[in-house]
Short mmCIF file of all heavy atoms in Angstrom, two decimals:
data_model
loop_
_atom_site.label_atom_id
_atom_site.label_comp_id
_atom_site.label_asym_id
_atom_site.label_seq_id
_atom_site.Cartn_x
_atom_site.Cartn_y
_atom_site.Cartn_z
N GLY F 492 36.80 -16.23 21.14
CA GLY F 492 37.89 -15.32 21.50
C GLY F 492 38.23 -15.47 22.96
O GLY F 492 37.53 -16.16 23.70
N CYS F 499 27.02 -7.38 22.06
CA CYS F 499 26.66 -8.45 21.14
C CYS F 499 26.40 -7.84 19.76
O CYS F 499 25.61 -6.89 19.64
CB CYS F 499 25.42 -9.17 21.66
SG CYS F 499 24.79 -10.40 20.52
N GLU F 511 30.67 -18.07 29.36
CA GLU F 511 31.60 -18.94 28.65
C GLU F 511 30.96 -20.31 28.51
O GLU F 511 30.33 -20.82 29.44
CB GLU F 511 32.91 -19.05 29.44
CG GLU F 511 33.98 -19.71 28.61
CD GLU F 511 35.31 -19.83 29.34
OE1 GLU F 511 35.48 -19.18 30.38
OE2 GLU F 511 36.15 -20.60 28.84
N PHE F 514 33.66 -26.02 24.69
CA PHE F 514 33.86 -26.05 23.24
C PHE F 514 32.74 -26.72 22.45
O PHE F 514 32.19 -26.15 21.54
CB PHE F 514 35.21 -26.69 22.91
CG PHE F 514 35.62 -26.35 21.50
CD1 PHE F 514 36.02 -25.06 21.18
CD2 PHE F 514 35.56 -27.31 20.50
CE1 PHE F 514 36.37 -24.73 19.87
CE2 PHE F 514 35.91 -26.98 19.20
CZ PHE F 514 36.31 -25.70 18.89
N GLU F 537 -10.10 -21.95 44.66
CA GLU F 537 -10.74 -21.49 43.43
C GLU F 537 -9.92 -20.44 42.68
O GLU F 537 -9.32 -19.57 43.28
CB GLU F 537 -12.12 -20.91 43.76
CG GLU F 537 -13.20 -21.98 43.67
CD GLU F 537 -14.56 -21.40 43.99
OE1 GLU F 537 -14.94 -20.42 43.32
OE2 GLU F 537 -15.21 -21.92 44.90
N GLU F 557 5.72 -19.71 19.94
CA GLU F 557 6.09 -21.03 19.45
C GLU F 557 5.84 -21.17 17.95
O GLU F 557 6.61 -21.79 17.23
CB GLU F 557 5.28 -22.07 20.23
CG GLU F 557 5.77 -23.50 20.03
CD GLU F 557 4.83 -24.50 20.69
OE1 GLU F 557 4.22 -24.16 21.73
OE2 GLU F 557 4.72 -25.63 20.16
N PRO F 562 6.97 -12.94 12.96
CA PRO F 562 7.38 -12.85 11.55
C PRO F 562 6.22 -13.05 10.58
O PRO F 562 6.18 -12.41 9.53
CB PRO F 562 8.44 -13.94 11.39
CG PRO F 562 8.49 -14.68 12.67
CD PRO F 562 7.79 -13.89 13.72
N VAL F 571 2.61 -4.93 1.61
CA VAL F 571 1.66 -3.93 1.08
C VAL F 571 2.20 -2.51 1.24
O VAL F 571 1.93 -1.65 0.41
CB VAL F 571 0.29 -4.09 1.80
CG1 VAL F 571 -0.70 -3.07 1.31
CG2 VAL F 571 -0.26 -5.50 1.60
N LEU F 574 4.05 -1.03 -1.66
CA LEU F 574 3.09 -0.84 -2.75
C LEU F 574 2.31 0.46 -2.53
O LEU F 574 2.09 1.24 -3.46
CB LEU F 574 2.14 -2.04 -2.75
CG LEU F 574 1.26 -2.22 -3.97
CD1 LEU F 574 2.11 -2.60 -5.17
CD2 LEU F 574 0.22 -3.30 -3.70
N VAL F 576 3.34 3.04 -0.86
CA VAL F 576 4.26 4.15 -1.11
C VAL F 576 4.40 4.39 -2.62
O VAL F 576 4.39 5.53 -3.10
CB VAL F 576 5.65 3.87 -0.48
CG1 VAL F 576 6.65 4.97 -0.82
CG2 VAL F 576 5.52 3.74 1.04
N ALA F 588 -5.71 10.09 -9.93
CA ALA F 588 -6.69 9.89 -8.84
C ALA F 588 -6.81 8.42 -8.44
O ALA F 588 -6.94 8.10 -7.26
CB ALA F 588 -8.04 10.43 -9.26
N ILE F 592 -6.29 6.64 -4.61
CA ILE F 592 -7.23 5.75 -3.91
C ILE F 592 -6.53 4.44 -3.55
O ILE F 592 -6.67 3.92 -2.44
CB ILE F 592 -8.49 5.50 -4.78
CG1 ILE F 592 -9.29 6.80 -4.89
CG2 ILE F 592 -9.36 4.39 -4.20
CD1 ILE F 592 -10.38 6.78 -5.93
N ARG F 618 9.30 -13.09 25.63
CA ARG F 618 9.47 -14.54 25.77
C ARG F 618 10.78 -15.07 25.21
O ARG F 618 11.44 -15.90 25.83
CB ARG F 618 8.31 -15.26 25.08
CG ARG F 618 7.01 -15.08 25.81
CD ARG F 618 5.91 -15.92 25.21
NE ARG F 618 4.76 -15.90 26.10
CZ ARG F 618 4.59 -16.72 27.12
NH1 ARG F 618 5.49 -17.65 27.38
NH2 ARG F 618 3.54 -16.61 27.89
N GLY F 622 12.88 -10.02 27.66
CA GLY F 622 12.54 -8.62 27.92
C GLY F 622 13.77 -7.75 28.17
O GLY F 622 13.66 -6.72 28.84
N THR F 625 17.91 -3.87 24.92
CA THR F 625 19.18 -3.45 24.32
C THR F 625 18.84 -2.44 23.23
O THR F 625 17.66 -2.26 22.89
CB THR F 625 19.93 -4.64 23.70
OG1 THR F 625 19.20 -5.08 22.56
CG2 THR F 625 20.06 -5.80 24.69
N LEU F 641 2.69 7.05 11.86
CA LEU F 641 2.69 7.74 10.56
C LEU F 641 1.56 7.23 9.66
O LEU F 641 0.92 8.01 8.96
CB LEU F 641 4.05 7.61 9.87
CG LEU F 641 5.22 8.32 10.57
CD1 LEU F 641 6.48 8.24 9.72
CD2 LEU F 641 4.89 9.78 10.88
N GLU F 654 -8.04 15.64 -1.17
CA GLU F 654 -7.25 16.21 -2.27
C GLU F 654 -5.78 16.39 -1.89
O GLU F 654 -5.03 17.05 -2.62
CB GLU F 654 -7.81 17.59 -2.67
CG GLU F 654 -9.30 17.63 -2.99
CD GLU F 654 -9.65 16.81 -4.22
OE1 GLU F 654 -8.86 16.84 -5.18
OE2 GLU F 654 -10.68 16.12 -4.19
N ALA F 675 10.05 0.86 8.58
CA ALA F 675 9.70 -0.55 8.42
C ALA F 675 10.94 -1.33 7.95
O ALA F 675 11.18 -2.46 8.39
CB ALA F 675 8.56 -0.71 7.41
N VAL F 677 14.15 -0.60 8.58
CA VAL F 677 15.11 -0.73 9.68
C VAL F 677 14.65 -1.85 10.64
O VAL F 677 15.44 -2.71 11.03
CB VAL F 677 15.26 0.61 10.45
CG1 VAL F 677 16.07 0.41 11.72
CG2 VAL F 677 15.92 1.66 9.56
N GLY F 679 12.77 -4.37 9.97
CA GLY F 679 12.92 -5.65 9.28
C GLY F 679 14.37 -6.10 9.23
O GLY F 679 14.68 -7.28 9.44
N LEU F 681 16.80 -5.34 11.35
CA LEU F 681 17.22 -5.79 12.69
C LEU F 681 16.59 -7.13 13.05
O LEU F 681 17.22 -7.98 13.67
CB LEU F 681 16.87 -4.72 13.74
CG LEU F 681 17.63 -3.40 13.61
CD1 LEU F 681 17.11 -2.39 14.62
CD2 LEU F 681 19.12 -3.61 13.80
#
Side-chain angles (χ1 to χ4, degrees):
C499 174
E511 191 179 346
F514 197 71
E537 269 180 55
E557 192 187 329
V571 179
L574 193 69
V576 176
I592 292 168
R618 290 187 170 274
T625 69
L641 294 186
E654 307 295 321
V677 171
L681 294 175

